[in-house]
């Protein structure tokens, strides 16, 4: 691999010893269904930029190989668990994120696409996984999308057309899982691990102390001091309220709530976009990273998209339009695939968004500062997660503070704080 480069995650600068010609020969032999395959050359490099992800380690392998008397070159993406000692390995080492993602790629997403195809919808929900294994190590291998013209959007927000493409795919995925869940919930039994099921998730300082830093900010900014009492009241219970939303399907299922198999981490860096080679017009987005997909209220992915996918101007000017687009795509897909019974209603959808407001409050107080930092290349993602002083700098970004002024006024007017003052 090349010299140390500050553009990449530190744990992706040196490939593990097992990531070698023999590994790729085994992967490609199984994929090509032949034993007559020889790897001639492999070049390993980091597969993503610093800050694109945290819950895995990713490498790009440019592989030249001979098969059936022909020579080929293929670019592959290898996704594996962190091996370097440190916070990332400590936080994720005992989690089931790879088991979940393997199940999504090998079972659920192909099934969802098959149901859509049968209804005349050719939407592609995932890139094929060429190889996966849990032992002797957790690893997945995909064909690289970059040579096909896909790219990660890093220098701007998505535009409305791109947002609608992403939300359309999410809505169709949600619709198929909603139907299947009603018919036979047993097939989703292994998808029970969301954020709250990551070992020690709520004890991690980044999660546990987020509301403390937020209250500190409220105390510092004169225009925000009026909101401090609300957050002081919810300080001791906000993580329990978070669990009540994210794990509702498993802990306290509600009879009228719309449950689906969620993406779980539906943000900008977990998708790739593609433009037409000739015209430059937007063509497609590909959803990625299904490590915390689990059965939960469908509002979870939608609320997440408010802050992790949309920017502040889009939330202010287009949120209702995009919500309506998502919901009508969801219900029209249910009709198309033959879902029986009464269809979900948009008024009930709005009610459930309100009922799950504590998840939104958590995102605003804990995740949103980091998102602003990522957009502006303000600081390193690993630093933000591990160091309180880096997190505090994120809270003090002027753009975040201005957004919070508007968000908290909306929360107040929508009744989000009523239960915190009882």
């Amino acid at each position: 691999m090349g010299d140390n480069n500050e553009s990449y995650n530190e744990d992706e600068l040196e490939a593990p010893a097992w990531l070698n010609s023999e590994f790729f020969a085994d992967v490609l032999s199984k994929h090509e269904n032949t034993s007559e395959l020889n790897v001639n050359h492999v070049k390993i490099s980091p597969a993503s930029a610093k800050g694109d992800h945290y819950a895995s380690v990713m490498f790009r392998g440019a592989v030249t190989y001979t098969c059936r008397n022909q020579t080929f070159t293929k670019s592959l993406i290898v996704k594996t668990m962190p091996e370097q000692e440190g916070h990332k390995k400590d936080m994720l080492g005992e989690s089931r994120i790879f088991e979940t993602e393997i199940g999504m790629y090998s079972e659920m997403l192909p099934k969802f696409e098959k149901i859509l195809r049968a209804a005349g919808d050719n939407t592609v929900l995932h890139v094929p996984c060429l190889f996966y294994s849990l032992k002797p190590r957790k690893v997945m291998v995909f064909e690289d999308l970059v040579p096909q013209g896909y790219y990660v959007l890093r220098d701007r927000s998505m535009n409305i057309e791109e947002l609608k493409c992403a939300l359309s795919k999410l809505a169709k995925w949600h619709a198929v899982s909603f139907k299947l869940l009603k018919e036979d919930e047993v097939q989703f039994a292994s998808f029970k691990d969301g954020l709250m099921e990551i070992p020690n998730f709520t004890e991690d300082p980044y999660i546990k102390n987020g509301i403390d830093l937020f209250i500190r900010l409220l105390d510092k900014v004169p225009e925000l001091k009026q909101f401090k009492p609300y957050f002081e009241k919810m300080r001791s219970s906000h993580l329990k309220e978070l669990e009540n939303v994210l794990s509702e399907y498993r802990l306290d299922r509600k009879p009228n709530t719309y449950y689906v198999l969620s993406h779980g981490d539906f943000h900008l860096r977990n998708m790739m976009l593609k433009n037409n080679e000739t015209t430059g017009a937007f063509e497609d987005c590909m959803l990625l990273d299904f490590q915390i997909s689990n059965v939960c209220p469908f509002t979870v992915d939608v609320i997440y998209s408010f802050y992790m996918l949309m920017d502040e101007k889009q939330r202010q000017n287009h949120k209702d339009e995009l919500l309506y687009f998502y919901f009508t795509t969801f219900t029209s897909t249910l009709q198309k695939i033959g879902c029986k019974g009464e269809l979900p209603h948009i008024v009930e959808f709005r009610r459930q968004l309100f009922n799950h407001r504590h998840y939104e409050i958590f995102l605003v107080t804990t995740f949103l500062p980091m998102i602003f930092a990522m957009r502006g290349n303000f600081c390193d993602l690993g630093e933000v997660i591990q160091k309180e002083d880096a997190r505090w700098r994120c809270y003090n970004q002027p753009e975040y503070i201005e957004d919070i002024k508007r968000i908290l006024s909306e929360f107040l007017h929508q009744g989000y704080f009523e239960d915190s003052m009882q």
Side-chain angles (χ1 to χ4, degrees), residues 312 372 396-404:
E312 58 273 28
F372 270 93
N396 282 277
Q397 295 171 100
E399 296 84 0
Y400 173 69
I401 291 173
E402 287 305 308
D403 199 25
I404 285 299

Side-chain angles (χ1 to χ4, degrees), residues 141-186:
V141 181
F142 307 89
E143 190 160 343
D144 191 359
L145 290 178
V146 171
Q148 301 176 38
Y150 285 88
Y151 59 93
V152 176
L153 189 58
R154 299 188 180 96
D155 57 353
R156 62 173 177 84
S157 301
M158 296 178 91
N159 60 37
I160 297 302
E161 181 183 17
E162 293 160 348
L163 282 168
K164 285 187 174 180
C165 180
L167 289 169
S168 174
K169 290 196 175 189
L170 182 72
K172 292 177 181 183
W173 160 348
H174 279 179
V176 176
S177 66
F178 179 84
K179 176 179 183 290
L180 294 179
L181 196 60
K182 288 179 65 177
E183 294 171 351
D184 177 20
E185 65 179 54
V186 174

